Amino acid sequence: MSRKVTIDPITRLEGHGKIDIFLNDNGTVDRAYFQVPELRGFERFAIGRPAEDMPQITSRICGVCPTAHHMAATKALDDLYNVDPPVAAKKVREMLYNIFIIEDHALHFYYLAGPDFVVGPHAPKAERNILGVLGKVGMEIGLKVIGTRKQLRELMVLAMGKAAHPVFGLPGGISKPIAKTDQQRFIDAADRAVEFGQFSLQLFHDVVLKNKTYVDHILSDIYTHETYYMGLVDDNNRVNFYDGNVRIVTPEGKEFSRFAARDYLDHMAEHVEPWSYIKFPFLKQVGWHGFKDGPDSGVFAVAPLARLNAADGMATPLAQAAYEHYFETLGGKPVHHTLANSWARLIELLQAAERMRELANDPEIVNPEVRSMPVETPVEGIGVVEAPRGTLFHHYRTDERGVITAANLIVATQNNAARIAMSVDTAARGLISDGKIDDGILNMVEMAFRAYDPCNGCATHALPGQMPLQVRVYDMKHSLIQEIRRD
Amino acid sequence: MKQKTVVIGLGNELFGDDAVGLLAVRRSAQIAPGQADYVETGLHGVALLDLLIGYEKAIIVDAVKTGRHPAGTILDIETGRLNPIDNPSPHFTGIPELIRLARELNVCFPKEILIVGMEVVNTEDMGTEMTGEVVAALDQLTERILSHVP
């Protein structure tokens, strides 16, 4: 008898999602679907509002990565008003943005990936959480993580007004300069962040890379897809989170295209599937040929693994050394193993910390000249940043008063949607062979997308402690025959 | 100077009734400034730990959707009654998990945490329109918050 298995909602994922697994009569997987409820109504909501409100409005879309939306919106406003911010403003923006990357990546590694890699995918479910992680590595590390994040968030509040909803970015600059008397705080925090980045990579080496089972998981075919990769790079093709050109490499690792954010519509198009609300972006020049690997499929990936593949190296020395070790260990560029995202994320964390340190020590960041006034009539603006979860595009059109007439957001999880769908399907097929679906197997299916750290944009409306995981098994007629709950 | 009590409004002003916690905390801050620290936030999960550390008492105000009460009903939720979930995420790390984590880490964390919720209707569609019953009960929610502020 064919069965349908639903995992809804998914644990340890930013936002809501659902997996449906359809089983054949012989207990193997016919097809697994990863469904993402798309953000509803944003375009409609934005129309008729002043473009200058977008950094505030879009940062409220989600409590998880508000700074990424705030910065993409701010950069779209620079473009909309054709205004170039002063050097100090750009440097302060980049420093704050790197601080955000550090604290967000730390959150992912210790809270989301940690349970899989530190506690282990087959550990009892009650241990697969942050407390289980701390039980293994020591409570003092928990204090280190919380202390480092808290210090970074306090600096974000100092510079941006609010960590959750920054009131900071303006077209042509930022709302206030960094006070000279505060510079040392940034320097001290940056030193601590670099040390934290090195410590986290060492922890990954000691706990994950020295454990053959975990390394086998990373290298396993069920977590591997050969696709194109996208990421922002600087003039030297090094990873950059705040600015640069979008670079795409082929599944063989060769440069496929390199373009300014403004031209993204020449390179990307969107495919729609009847079973999902989300649109699946693909490479226009290759075309949509289904959920397939290889150079003939327009599917591409974003996020840490993709960024490292799309660049020629890291922009800072310690991160560069870690980058070289990464590719040596995993068999050269590009790396196609989805679970290697976690390692790539820590290398990025280290680069963000080193870049923060460079900028914190730069005398220019306390220059009070932080605003170029916009004087041109607005028409259209496009901004791009690397959100922790991948490339994020904001695109606005306005009337001559700067009132939005059209808005389009392509968020990181959307860019990754096709590859995430492939990853879930492949993992389910590889892991479920005889109709046997236990908690450990479900968790390993979930690991396939958790590595991307997908964020589906949502409100803060779940009553704490009341959001269980539900696994529902249906027969062919969609009658419920079994229900497993994780309360 | 930091107060002993923190009142935290959770929510998102762009998702209809989800704004109710933020609005009630904003009103409370206007009526009784200086008696507590008032925070409006869209943060959730472990990020809330940053906001709670260092206080003796916390009052968390949020929209609640149980479907079991009429819209606008105020619900006092004792944190002791909430069951921790086994597989928390940063997104869904609830108060019980935060309490457990804080206890394990031995950080200075409120001994008393109250959750004041209001039953709402729509928190899914983007927009600033709120349900009439929810708006009508805002004053009552503010009074309830203030009754817990020392």
Side-chain angles (χ1 to χ4, degrees), chain A residues 372-384:
Chain A
S372 306
M373 290 310 287
V375 290
E376 294 198 17
T377 305
V379 180
E380 186 172 28
I382 297 170
V384 63

Side-chain angles (χ1 to χ4, degrees), chain A residues 420-475:
Chain A
I420 294 175
M422 288 158 61
S423 294
V424 169
D425 186 45
T426 304
R429 287 167 197 261
L431 290 159
I432 301 167
S433 56
D434 54 358
K436 186 175 151 259
I437 306 169
D438 62 19
D439 186 70
I441 286 177
L442 286 180
N443 188 50
M444 288 186 67
V445 173
E446 291 184 53
M447 279 167 68
F449 62 80
R450 201 144 59 221
Y452 299 93
D453 194 9
C455 177
N456 301 319
C458 53
T460 319
H461 50 73
L463 178 68
Q466 295 283 305
M467 188 57 73
L469 175 78
Q470 294 181 335
V471 180
R472 287 180 172 172
V473 183
Y474 298 87
D475 64 15

